[in-house]
Structures are given as C-alpha cells and as structure tokens.
Amino acid sequence: MRHHLIAVSALSLLCLAGSTGLAEAQPASAHGPSAMVFTVIQGSGEPTDTVLRATTLSCAYTAEGTHPAPRAACDALNATDGELNRLLAAPDPSLVCPMYFDPVTVTADGVLNGRRVAWKHTFSNTCVMSANLNSNPVYAF
C-alpha cells in the first residue's frame, strides 16, 4: 500500500511538472485582443454632436469588422503601442487648409491589446483633420 501511495504521488508530481513545462513553452502573444469603435464627429466631441461616420475593428487572430481595410488598420493601430496620439502625423505640407473653425473630432473606444482605451482628438476643421491624419488607415473609412 505504501509503495502504491508513493507511485501515485510521484506520477501526480510528474504530470503537474509536465503540464507546467508545456504552459511555459508556449510563446506569449505580442498583442492581446483588440476590439475598437472609431468615429468621426461633427463638433468638439460633446454627447449632442452629430456622428458623421463610424466603424468597428477587431484585431484578434484575424482582422475584421465594418472597417473597409481591417488588416491595414490593425497594423497601424498595433504600431502605436497603445499611444493613440501616434496616429497623428506631421501635417502634410502640400495641403493648405482654410483658417475657419468648424470642429471635427475623431474618437477611439474599446479594448486595445487587452487594455481599455478611450481617446479623442479635435481638429479645427476637416481639412486640418485630413492633413494631420495623412491618410492613416485607421481613420480611412
């Protein structure tokens, strides 16, 4: 009986050690799951402002959603390392924008690489928005 108890205990420890080793051997994912909603809003982002357009994007194992170019948008989003201000670029110097105030706000809400995100940025008008986003695939919808 004593040998049976020792054998069962040793087998249990071996199984536990083997399963722990397997878990450690699996590579960790570079990016956690992402499911985002992006909007372009006429106004400064107040709840009463008008949503001009919106899209969804999921960057789990495959890129999908209502976004017209999900793979390019997921790649651009992952390149920000969670700092969505990196979506903004130096303004396109060839684009000259009028100096009038008709605010447009872009937002991003959801989960990015496993972390909750709520981001918005307001531009003075649509031309300034286009110049600063420089055809960034995330907001090309």
Side-chain angles (χ1 to χ4, degrees):
M1 178 72 168
R2 185 174 176 205
H3 293 287
H4 181 66
L5 183 59
I6 293 172
V8 170
S9 298
L11 185 58
S12 297
L13 286 174
L14 184 60
C15 289
L16 181 62
S19 65
T20 303
L22 287 175
E24 291 174 4
Q26 294 175 351
S29 175
H31 300 287
S34 298
M36 304 285 293
V37 175
F38 300 97
T39 61
V40 177
I41 301 168
Q42 184 66 53
S44 57
E46 299 301 320
T48 56
D49 290 342
T50 303
V51 175
L52 299 175
R53 50 191 197 273
T55 192
T56 60
L57 181 66
S58 174
C59 302
Y61 296 107
T62 60
E64 55 191 15
T66 60
H67 196 287
R71 178 76 276 147
C74 285
D75 290 345
L77 198 57
N78 286 332
T80 67
D81 289 327
E83 181 58 46
L84 294 184
N85 283 330
R86 291 182 182 171
L87 295 173
L88 307 173
D92 182 354
S94 67
L95 190 60
V96 178
C97 291
M99 301 289 286
Y100 66 88
F101 187 70
D102 189 15
V104 178
T105 301
V106 293
T107 67
D109 290 297
V111 177
L112 176 60
N113 299 329
R115 293 183 305 245
R116 176 78 176 102
V117 172
W119 178 80
K120 75 177 183 176
H121 188 86
T122 302
F123 301 95
S124 59
N125 57 51
T126 55
C127 181
V128 174
M129 177 186 76
S130 295
N132 281 277
L133 290 175
N134 280 337
S135 301
N136 187 296
V138 173
Y139 284 97
F141 60 89

